[in-house]
Amino acid sequence: MSDVHRIFGAEVSPYSVKVRSYLRYKGIPHRWIVRSLATQAEFQKYAKLPLIPLVVTPEERGLQDSTPILETLEARHPKPALQPEDPTLAFLSTLLEEFADEWGNKWMFHYRWARKVDQDSAAERIAKTMAPGLAGAELAKMAAGVAQRMVERVWFVGSSEATAPRIEASYREALELLEKHLAAHPYLFGQRPALADFGLSGQLFCCSTDPTPGRILREHAPSVAAWVERMLSPGAANGFATWESLAATLEPLLARQVGRLFLPWSDANARAIAAGREEFSVTLDGAPWTQKPQKYHAKSLAELRRKYAAASPNAALDAILERTGCLRWLRPAS
C-alpha cells in the first residue's frame, strides 16, 4: 500500500494552505491535487462535505476540517512535535489557532469581497482554478458568477457595512502586533512552528494574494510577510521558546485581539445558537457588532472550552488568560 496522502485543495483556500504547509513540515508524503471540475468526481468519492481541504489517507479514508485533520495526522506522525511540551504554551497555541480559523478568516473573506479590485482578482483566480482551460469571454463569465455568489455570502463571516471598519481595524492592528513579535522570533512560539503558526499563516497567505490586504501586509508588516512566505514550507532550527521570552510581544496580541474581540464575539454567537436566535448583537471594543449566528463556530468554542478544561488546573496559564481578558470566556457559560 502506498504511503502517500492526497490533499484536495486550492491556494485560494486558507485552510488548504494550512494543511499543505503542515504536511510539508512533517515530511509526510503527499500529492497536492487542485480541486477543479476535472477532479470533482474523485473529490466527491471521499468528501462528506463540499469543502476543501480534503485529505485522503493511504487507507483511503477521507478527512475534512483542517484542525481535526492536523490532530489525526499528528497522532500518526508525532515528530517533529507540533506543540510545545509546556502545557501553558501548548494551550496558548491552540487558542491562537482557533482565533485564526474563526476570526482571522473574517479578515481574509471580508477583504477579498469588499472592493471591486479584490473581487475581480479573486474571482478570476477561483475560476481559473475550477476550470483551468477557460479563457476570454468564458472565463470572464465564470468569474462574474463567482464574484456575485461570494459577495452575497459575506454575511457568513459577519461582514457588513456596519462591521467593515471593525474588521479592517482588527486586521491592521493584528499585523502591527505580529510585526513586533515576528521581528524578534522566527515563529510564534520560538524557533519552530506550532499549531498556531499553521492556522494564522494560512489566513494571512490568502490575504497576501489579494490586492488590498496584500499591499497593507507588505507595506506595514515586512516581518509578517517574510513569515507567511516561510510558512509555506517551514522548517525547525531549534526548539520552542519559554513564555518569559515571548510574553512582551505575544501577550498584547492575546489581549487586544483574542480577549477583546474574538472570544466575546464567539461567546455571543454560541449564546445566540443556544437560544435559537436568528441574529445577535455584541459590543466589541465599544462598537456594536450584529450578524447571523453560525452553528459551526458554537461547536468550535465548545471544543476550545473542553481543551481548556483538559489543561486545567494550570495556575500559570490562568494568570496569562486573566491578564489578557480571555479567562472568563473559556470557562463554561452560565
Side-chain angles (χ1 to χ4, degrees):
M1 180 177 64
S2 171
D3 64 348
V4 175
H5 293 67
R6 285 167 285 165
I7 172 172
F8 290 81
E11 287 200 341
V12 292
S13 158
Y15 305 105
S16 296
V17 174
K18 168 186 174 181
V19 172
R20 185 182 66 178
S21 293
Y22 171 84
L23 290 167
R24 289 174 172 176
Y25 172 63
K26 301 289 283 194
I28 299 171
H30 64 279
R31 182 160 62 95
W32 171 257
I33 302 171
V34 176
R35 185 191 173 187
S36 66
L37 297 177
T39 60
Q40 182 66 6
E42 186 180 4
F43 173 85
Q44 289 179 326
K45 179 180 177 182
Y46 300 98
K48 294 182 179 179
L49 299 169
L51 303 174
I52 53 175
L54 164 71
V55 169
V56 180
T57 70
E59 300 82 14
E60 299 290 296
R61 177 188 174 195
L63 305 174
Q64 289 182 282
D65 194 340
S66 64
T67 302
I69 288 173
L70 267 56
E71 290 173 344
T72 298
L73 294 177
E74 186 69 10
R76 293 184 169 196
H77 305 273
K79 295 183 179 181
L82 179 62
Q83 293 281 58
E85 290 185 9
D86 181 343
T88 295
L89 295 185
F91 181 79
L92 294 177
S93 174
T94 297
L95 176 59
L96 283 172
E97 189 250 4
E98 178 72 4
F99 160 76
D101 280 359
E102 309 302 336
W103 186 268
N105 186 246
K106 296 182 187 301
W107 307 329
M108 192 284 299
F109 204 84
H110 164 78
Y111 270 111
R112 179 162 284 180
W113 304 111
R115 297 168 175 84
K116 191 173 188 305
V117 63
D118 300 288
Q119 294 169 11
D120 290 347
S121 172
E124 182 173 297
R125 283 180 286 128
I126 291 170
K128 286 181 176 178
T129 299
M130 294 169 59
L134 284 187
E138 290 184 335
L139 175 61
K141 181 178 180 181
M142 176 175 276
V146 169
Q148 180 179 357
R149 184 168 66 252
M150 300 309 290
V151 169
E152 291 175 352
R153 288 180 56 82
V154 295
W155 61 267
F156 187 79
V157 298
S159 173
S160 66
E161 185 176 347
T163 62
R166 176 69 273 170
I167 295 172
E168 296 191 5
S170 169
Y171 177 69
R172 288 176 175 272
E173 181 185 61
L175 289 182
E176 179 183 349
L177 296 169
L178 283 167
E179 179 64 18
K180 292 178 182 177
H181 185 70
L182 292 169
H185 306 278
Y187 298 103
L188 292 176
F189 288 88
Q191 298 293 316
R192 59 195 293 179
L195 177 63
D197 290 89
F198 292 96
L200 193 53
S201 66
Q203 302 294 339
L204 291 178
F205 168 78
C206 284
C207 288
S208 76
T209 66
D210 292 327
T212 302
R215 175 184 53 77
I216 295 169
L217 172 62
R218 287 183 289 274
E219 289 181 359
H220 297 280
S223 297
V224 180
W227 166 77
V228 168
E229 183 68 23
R230 190 160 59 247
M231 280 301 300
L232 292 175
S233 294
N238 291 294
F240 294 111
T242 63
W243 174 250
E244 289 71 24
S245 67
L246 300 170
T249 48
L250 198 55
E251 193 164 302
L253 178 68
L254 289 165
R256 297 290 298 170
Q257 292 286 309
V258 182
R260 182 178 59 117
L261 299 176
F262 167 57
L263 287 176
W265 166 82
S266 191
D267 179 76
N269 177 80
R271 289 178 180 273
I273 290 292
R277 297 198 296 270
E278 298 202 2
E279 187 176 83
F280 73 94
S281 295
V282 59
T283 300
L284 300 178
D285 194 31
W289 178 292
T290 300
Q291 73 168 94
K292 296 180 181 180
Q294 302 297 316
K295 290 182 180 180
Y296 180 82
H297 301 320
K299 291 180 180 179
S300 66
L301 176 61
E303 178 64 7
L304 182 64
R305 286 171 169 166
R306 184 195 67 78
K307 290 176 179 177
Y308 165 73
S312 299
N314 184 330
L317 173 63
D318 283 354
I320 297 166
L321 295 174
E322 179 67 35
R323 287 197 304 272
T324 56
C326 296
L327 186 60
R328 60 177 291 200
W329 307 108
L330 292 169
R331 289 173 168 159
S334 58

